[in-house]
Structures are given as C-alpha cells and as structure tokens.
Amino acid sequence: PAPAPAPAPAPSVNFNFAESYSRTKHKPLRVNSATVHGNERTSSKVVERELRGLADINNLHDLATCLLDATNRLQALDVFHSVDILVDAGPPNRPNTCDVHVNLRERDMLAFNAGTYVQGNEVSAEGTVSLVNPLGQAEQVQLEASAGSQRSGTFSLAYQLPRFAGTDNSALELRAFQSLQSHQRHASFSE
C-alpha cells in the first residue's frame, strides 16, 4: 500500500480555527476519494462499513460529524491501537471536494496473560490467550483456563463478532464454559 500523506503544516499563531470553521461549515463539500492505510489483517469491507456515511456528506459540518462517528465506530471494534483521519483538499480540477485518508494501527493478534491467586484453602493458576482479529472481520477469540490445587478448574472459550448483521446493535457471541469444583477436604484416605 502507498504511504500515508504527510500532515499539513500547523496553522499560524494568528489563525482562528473556530471562526474559520463557523464561516465555512455549511459551504458545499463532497468527498472525492477515501483511502485506508494500515489494515493489514482487517478486511477492507469492515473498514468501509464503518465509513459508509462519507458518500452522503454535503458540507464540512457533515464531514466532521461523519468522521467523528466513523472514528468512534472503528475504535469500538477494539482491534486498532489508533485510528487517525486526515482530510486534505481535493484535486484542483474538482472544486469543493476533499480527500480522506484513514490511517489505522492494528493491535497485535496474540495476547497472553497468566496469574495465580489464593481463595480460601486453594491455590489456583490461570491463563488467558486472546486472538484479536485473526480472520480480519474484527472478531475476537479468547481461551481461559484455571486449575486449582484441590482438583478444581474452569475452562472457557469465547468467540465475539461485532456488528454481525451489519447494524450497530447486532453482535454474535458464542461461549463454551466448564467448571469443576472439588469439595473434598485433605485426608489420607480417598474413595
């Protein structure tokens, strides 16, 4: 993929951003192009789904609202370390247009946590392995296991897929869980 464009120079000290935005926020504006950088594992369709409102913008205010919403939606997927969006003027032959550049930094695919704890008379060890976005659909797979010194233990496997049906309120979550507990006290004899 092509490298992301360099950011524009910082405005001068005398530039009043709020005043300039107020003057121009309702002037006509359309998106000429939108490019996405940094989605190495994440499917382009997943990112495009979160940017779907760009085709409907009519002015700078619509663009700002749409991009703020898209940024929040992309971050809510919990598969990106960062989401940065740069808006630049469109080509000179297309007045009242802009180009949108989305720069993503994906989280690591594998995460592992381990620990120990004491509960009552039992010492337990636990471990968690998480796969973040392994298939590129913003899914997460988590395997948790724990074992105790008195033959107790738990096992959990979870799969989560946000926006399963393409809407904000649809998510698929599948979970398998097993828990074993031993109420036997220590003794020299066991049946």
Side-chain angles (χ1 to χ4, degrees), residues 159-181:
Y159 175 84
Q160 298 173 325
L161 180 62
R163 303 196 223 317
F164 172 66
T167 64
D168 290 342
N169 297 327
S170 64
L172 174 65
E173 184 170 332
L174 303 172
R175 189 173 292 274
F177 182 84
Q178 180 181 15
S179 177
L180 303 170
Q181 294 210 354

Side-chain angles (χ1 to χ4, degrees), residues 24-100:
T24 60
K25 68 182 179 182
H26 294 298
K27 288 187 177 183
L29 180 68
R30 300 295 291 170
V31 174
N32 176 59
S33 69
T35 56
V36 178
H37 308 280
N39 58 324
E40 295 173 15
R41 284 190 324 271
T42 307
S43 165
S44 295
K45 289 180 181 182
V46 170
V47 178
E48 289 167 5
R49 177 186 67 208
E50 306 307 327
L51 298 171
R52 65 181 174 260
L54 285 178
D56 301 327
I57 69 127
N58 294 307
N59 55 50
L60 183 60
H61 179 71
D62 290 351
L63 178 65
T65 302
C66 177
L67 292 180
L68 181 60
D69 183 52
T71 301
N72 290 335
R73 291 170 55 83
L74 285 165
Q75 289 173 335
L77 293 174
D78 202 24
V79 297
F80 301 111
H81 269 296
S82 64
V83 176
D84 297 312
I85 299 179
L86 173 72
V87 178
D88 200 3
N93 63 340
R94 304 223 33 211
N96 299 326
T97 64
C98 65
D99 294 326
V100 176

Side-chain angles (χ1 to χ4, degrees), residues 14-32:
N14 298 328
F15 181 77
N16 186 330
F17 179 81
E19 182 181 309
S20 179
Y21 179 75
S22 288
R23 278 195 327 265
T24 60
K25 68 182 179 182
H26 294 298
K27 288 187 177 183
L29 180 68
R30 300 295 291 170
V31 174
N32 176 59

